[in-house]
């Protein structure tokens, strides 16, 4: 059986340009990533997901790609990337890349050729209309920033389609030659040493893109995912494809495929619905939304895995909540309109959303780590970084890593005014208050907690590969669930309210062995009585029920 490494461990999401600058130009680089590999190894992550590394005008954080086969020179050379990749491998850390192939930058040579010559071989690599499309204003991904999905180009003499920004024209993924090029791109980086991809905007890769299609979208062509999976698996048997797909439960199984083997598609999908349920539960201090969601999530095929997250490089998307639920989350975590985005999201980091309360932060991440799936962590969350709301849109949460209390937070030697993105310097989340070095010296810091908890997570493989069952314990602010796998069974309890309580799970667990405490928010009696488990306010407990040989 091919190793399914993506089932156990933790994935660390990082923007190379914001992590560590070594040459003093104000932009993070691969040499900086390599220098910090020991830090990441000690943290306990098993894979690094790099946000786009390719040459780009970077009008959209690198998601506007101008060359799929190169690395952005601001990050260093191709050799620097390979050195980083080798260093990660030596430490047992895999590297995943962003595969951004729904669209390109308007500066990509393909589009430059396509717009200047109707006879260009790349003309039909994009989507054009000689007349104004009937769905011109339907379905922009960033409403309020982009109000249309078709833009007229004077040079081309035609309208071109773009679901995202107008400077990101859609690739014509209905064109077989485009799909073949996508496979070549994916195969090329696997040969270099990448272990897999986070596939950006996956649902848009399989939708019809012809004029008027968004008004009445035909059934998506899921076989394109199967073709991509077969291609990359042929070149690397242990590859993992992670889909960014915020889709309904009914569609989820179409993204995974219905079985191992020929029908398989994605290995992992981000658990967007679970993320929104967790945000609602944290806001209301009521676990019922998570309990209901986990119970309703579709059963996955053997190869399938959720990727859980609390925060990422985008906004907190609340689009699947009801208006009332969304307002409750806004009221708790984003009451200022400047904290909100597109009327459906919050552009903040988790630490300030939870008021910097260490107890709530630890409980929230403990909850994420114990949910069915593999956790994905955004860089800086392990030290409780904040956001800069003076930056536009999603840029508020894309600020440089805070390493120490020296100028530029130890991120760069450049003049502070020359940094493309300023470090957070003011307020309770400024780099003099929140940084790695200070937390490294504090045995009770959030960073040390992350290290300890992530290493504990790696000893509990039932979380990533076992079956999860929600338990009824009474208080609506307490979430209790059990994970059972081939190696044993674990019990997890989380108190979402600042109210101490005692719960009884004795009749809902199998108990052939002596229950043992694995992790907790503080000191509890070493003897575990399942009929009377105490939880502090915002407390959590991991309890091993049994260990099977």
């Amino acid at each position: 059986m091919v190793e399914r490494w993506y089932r156990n461990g933790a994935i660390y999401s990082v923007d190379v340009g914001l992590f560590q600058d070594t040459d003093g130009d104000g932009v993070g680089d691969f040499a900086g990533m390599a220098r910090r590999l020991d830090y990441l190894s000690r943290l306990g992550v098993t894979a690094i997901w790099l946000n786009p590394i390719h040459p780009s005008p970077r009008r959209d954080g690198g998601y506007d790609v101008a060359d799929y086969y190169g690395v952005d020179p601001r990050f260093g050379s191709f050799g620097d990337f390979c050195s980083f990749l080798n260093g990660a491998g030596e430490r047992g850390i895999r590297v995943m890349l962003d595969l951004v192939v729904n669209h390109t930058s308007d500066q990509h040579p393909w589009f430059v050729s396509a717009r200047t010559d109707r006879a260009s071989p790349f003309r039909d690599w994009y989507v054009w209309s000689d007349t104004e499309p009937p769905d011109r204003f339907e379905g922009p991904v960033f409403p309020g920033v982009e109000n249309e999905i078709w833009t007229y180009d004077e040079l081309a003499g035609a309208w071109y389609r773009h679901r995202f920004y107008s400077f990101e024209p859609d690739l014509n993924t209905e064109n077989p030659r485009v799909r073949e090029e996508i496979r070549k791109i994916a195969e090329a980086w696997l040969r270099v040493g990448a272990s897999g991809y986070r596939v950006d905007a996956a649902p848009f890769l399989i939708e019809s893109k012809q004029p008027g299609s968004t008004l009445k979208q035909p059934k998506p062509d899921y076989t394109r995912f199967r073709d991509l999976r077969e291609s990359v698996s042929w070149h690397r048997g242990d590859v993992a494809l992670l889909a960014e797909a915020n889709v309904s439960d009914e569609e989820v199984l179409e993204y995974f495929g219905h079985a191992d083997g020929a029908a398989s598609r994605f290995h992992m999908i981000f658990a967007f619905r679970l993320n929104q349920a967790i945000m609602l539960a944290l806001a209301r201090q009521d676990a019922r939304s998570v309990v209901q969601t986990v119970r309703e999530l579709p059963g996955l095929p053997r190869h399938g895995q959720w990727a859980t997250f609390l925060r990422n490089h985008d906004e907190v998307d609340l689009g699947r909540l009801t208006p009332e639920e969304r307002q409750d989350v806004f009221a708790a975590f984003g009451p200022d309109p400047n904290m909100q985005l597109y009327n459906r999201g919050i552009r903040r980091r988790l630490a300030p959303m939870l008021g910097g309360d260490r107890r709530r932060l630890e409980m929230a991440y403990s909850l994420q780590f114990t949910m069915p799936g593999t956790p994905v962590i955004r860089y800086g969350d392990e030290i409780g970084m904040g956001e800069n709301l003076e930056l536009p849109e999603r840029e508020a949460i894309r600020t440089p890593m805070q390493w120490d209390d020296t100028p530029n937070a130890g991120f760069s030697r450049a003049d502070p005014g020359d940094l493309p993105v300023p470090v957070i310097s003011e307020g309770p989340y400024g780099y003099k208050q929140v940084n790695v070095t200070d937390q490294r010296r504090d045995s009770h810091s959030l960073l040390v907690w992350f290290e300890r908890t992530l290493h504990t997570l790696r000893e509990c493989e039932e979380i990533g590969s076992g079956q999860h069952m929600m338990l009824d314990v009474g208080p609506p602010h307490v979430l209790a669930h059990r994970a059972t796998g081939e190696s044993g069974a674990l019990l997890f309890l989380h108190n979402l309210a600042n109210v101490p309580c005692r719960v009884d799970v004795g009749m809902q667990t199998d108990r052939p062995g002596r229950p043992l405490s694995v992790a907790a928010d503080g000191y509890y009696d070493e003897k575990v009585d399942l009929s009377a488990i105490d939880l502090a306010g915002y407390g959590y407990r991991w309890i091993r029920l049994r260990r099977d040989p």
Side-chain angles (χ1 to χ4, degrees):
M1 180 185 293
V2 173
E3 180 190 3
R4 291 183 175 137
W5 57 268
Y6 54 88
R7 281 190 173 278
N8 294 290
I11 301 171
Y12 191 82
S13 165
V14 63
D15 187 322
V16 175
L18 297 172
F19 203 58
Q20 180 68 75
D21 169 28
T22 59
D23 58 12
D25 66 353
V27 177
D29 43 49
F30 295 122
M33 289 294 306
R35 181 177 296 179
R36 296 297 184 179
L37 280 170
D38 286 333
Y39 165 82
L40 295 175
S41 179
R42 178 172 177 174
L43 181 60
V45 301
T46 54
I48 301 170
W49 154 33
L50 299 180
N51 294 156
I53 63 170
H54 307 300
S56 163
R58 299 197 70 80
R59 297 180 64 187
D60 183 22
Y63 286 89
D64 47 334
V65 178
D67 175 10
Y68 288 105
Y69 295 100
V71 298
D72 195 316
R74 286 173 284 193
F75 300 159
S77 66
F78 184 77
D80 293 332
F81 171 71
C82 291
S83 293
F84 156 70
L85 206 62
N86 291 335
E90 290 171 355
R91 292 163 177 82
I93 300 175
R94 296 173 182 265
V95 176
M96 302 177 69
L97 302 181
D98 244 315
L99 186 63
V100 187
V101 288
N102 173 71
H103 52 262
T104 71
S105 165
D106 59 5
Q107 296 183 33
H108 195 294
W110 299 340
F111 189 71
V112 172
S113 173
R115 75 192 302 193
T116 54
D117 183 3
R118 285 180 176 260
S120 166
F122 299 107
R123 183 73 173 196
D124 63 355
W125 283 39
Y126 296 89
V127 188
W128 303 94
S129 176
D130 289 330
T131 58
E132 180 179 338
D135 58 344
R136 174 183 173 184
F137 300 104
E138 297 293 326
V141 172
F142 305 126
V145 179
E146 291 284 352
N147 296 317
E148 58 185 11
I149 65 170
W150 292 88
T151 292
Y152 187 76
D153 185 67
E154 295 285 350
L155 196 58
W159 298 79
Y160 68 89
R161 189 181 195 268
H162 56 88
R163 271 289 210 139
F164 290 75
Y165 293 109
S166 59
F167 54 81
E168 292 173 333
D170 282 2
L171 282 168
N172 181 12
T173 48
E174 295 176 270
N175 183 337
R177 290 186 299 158
V178 171
R179 297 200 298 274
E180 177 62 26
E181 187 68 22
I182 291 172
R183 290 194 288 271
K184 289 179 181 178
I185 293 166
E187 292 166 5
W189 291 99
L190 292 178
R191 293 192 186 98
V192 174
S195 290
Y197 297 99
R198 176 258 189 192
V199 180
D200 182 65
F204 301 105
L205 298 176
I206 58 172
E207 70 176 6
S208 172
K209 299 188 176 185
Q210 299 310 307
S213 60
T214 55
L215 295 173
K216 188 177 182 180
Q217 185 66 228
K219 183 179 180 180
D221 184 3
Y222 298 105
T223 61
R224 297 176 195 171
F225 294 150
R226 181 203 62 199
D227 294 344
L228 178 62
R229 164 76 175 262
E230 288 179 349
S231 176
V232 296
S233 294
W234 180 261
H235 285 79
R236 179 163 183 161
D238 63 348
V239 69
L241 295 177
L242 168 57
E244 184 203 21
N246 189 355
V247 297
S248 67
D249 290 351
E250 292 73 21
E251 280 191 275
V252 159
L253 290 179
E254 297 289 356
Y255 280 75
F256 281 115
H258 297 279
D260 287 335
S264 297
R265 294 163 188 166
F266 283 101
H267 303 79
M268 307 177 73
I269 295 181
F270 281 107
F272 280 98
R273 183 183 172 196
L274 179 58
N275 171 259
Q276 296 185 38
I278 291 175
M279 287 300 166
L280 178 61
L282 293 173
R284 290 180 169 179
Q285 300 190 17
D286 187 325
R288 285 175 290 187
S289 61
V290 176
V291 172
Q292 178 181 352
T293 297
V294 173
R295 285 176 172 168
E296 293 176 353
L297 288 176
L300 304 184
R302 286 186 304 156
H303 74 269
Q305 179 78 329
W306 296 110
T308 66
F309 64 101
L310 292 182
R311 290 300 296 109
N312 56 25
H313 63 291
D314 288 330
E315 75 278 7
V316 180
D317 189 342
L318 306 174
R320 292 192 177 275
L321 299 182
T322 67
E324 179 184 0
E325 292 171 338
R326 194 177 308 128
Q327 287 307 312
D328 285 349
V329 180
F330 280 146
F333 301 142
D336 188 327
N338 188 40
M339 299 172 177
Q340 303 171 15
L341 198 61
Y342 315 135
N343 296 316
R344 68 165 192 261
I346 298 175
R347 60 190 201 106
R348 306 185 71 194
R349 289 259 193 173
L350 190 67
M353 285 170 60
L354 297 181
D357 189 327
R358 271 289 302 279
R359 297 174 304 158
R360 293 190 76 188
L361 276 170
E362 291 180 11
M363 181 271 295
Y365 281 109
S366 171
L367 179 60
Q368 179 203 353
F369 295 166
T370 58
M371 286 288 100
T374 299
V376 180
I377 307 159
R378 181 66 170 162
Y379 79 93
D381 280 356
E382 71 272 20
I383 59 173
M385 279 178 55
E387 71 275 341
N388 181 355
L389 293 174
E390 294 183 359
L391 297 175
E393 295 186 70
R394 296 167 295 164
E395 300 302 313
I397 51 176
R398 302 174 181 179
T399 59
M401 182 65 176
Q402 296 170 194
W403 294 105
D404 57 41
D405 62 359
T406 62
N408 292 335
F411 162 71
S412 173
R413 300 188 307 273
D415 184 283
D418 292 337
L419 294 184
V421 180
V423 299
I424 297 176
S425 58
E426 304 295 333
Y429 302 96
Y431 65 86
K432 291 187 178 181
Q433 286 72 40
V434 177
N435 64 72
V436 169
T437 301
D438 286 349
Q439 294 195 23
R440 170 69 65 237
R441 294 194 291 254
D442 179 1
S443 61
H444 301 290
S445 69
L446 183 62
L447 173 61
V448 173
W449 180 88
F450 259 89
E451 292 174 348
R452 183 173 63 249
T453 307
L454 287 176
H455 283 279
T456 301
L457 171 68
R458 295 174 66 174
E459 297 175 2
C460 302
E461 61 182 72
E462 296 92 342
I463 296 174
S465 58
Q467 297 295 317
H468 289 248
M469 176 180 291
M470 295 289 112
L471 306 178
D472 296 315
V473 294
H477 55 84
V478 175
L479 189 149
H481 75 286
R482 184 181 71 212
T484 305
E486 295 180 358
S487 57
L490 287 151
L491 171 68
F492 306 102
L493 300 107
H494 293 84
N495 185 359
L496 277 64
N498 191 19
V499 180
C501 63
R502 174 173 291 183
V503 297
D504 178 1
V505 297
M507 300 300 293
Q508 303 184 68
T509 57
D510 47 350
R511 297 179 287 172
R514 178 168 62 94
L516 297 173
S517 180
V518 175
D521 61 286
Y523 175 78
Y524 294 95
D525 194 322
E526 291 184 5
K527 183 179 179 180
V528 178
D529 180 357
L530 296 179
S531 64
I533 301 179
D534 290 317
L535 282 171
Y538 299 136
Y540 63 89
R541 298 181 69 173
W542 300 14
I543 298 171
R544 177 160 290 285
L545 298 174
R546 70 171 196 268
R547 172 75 78 180
D548 294 339

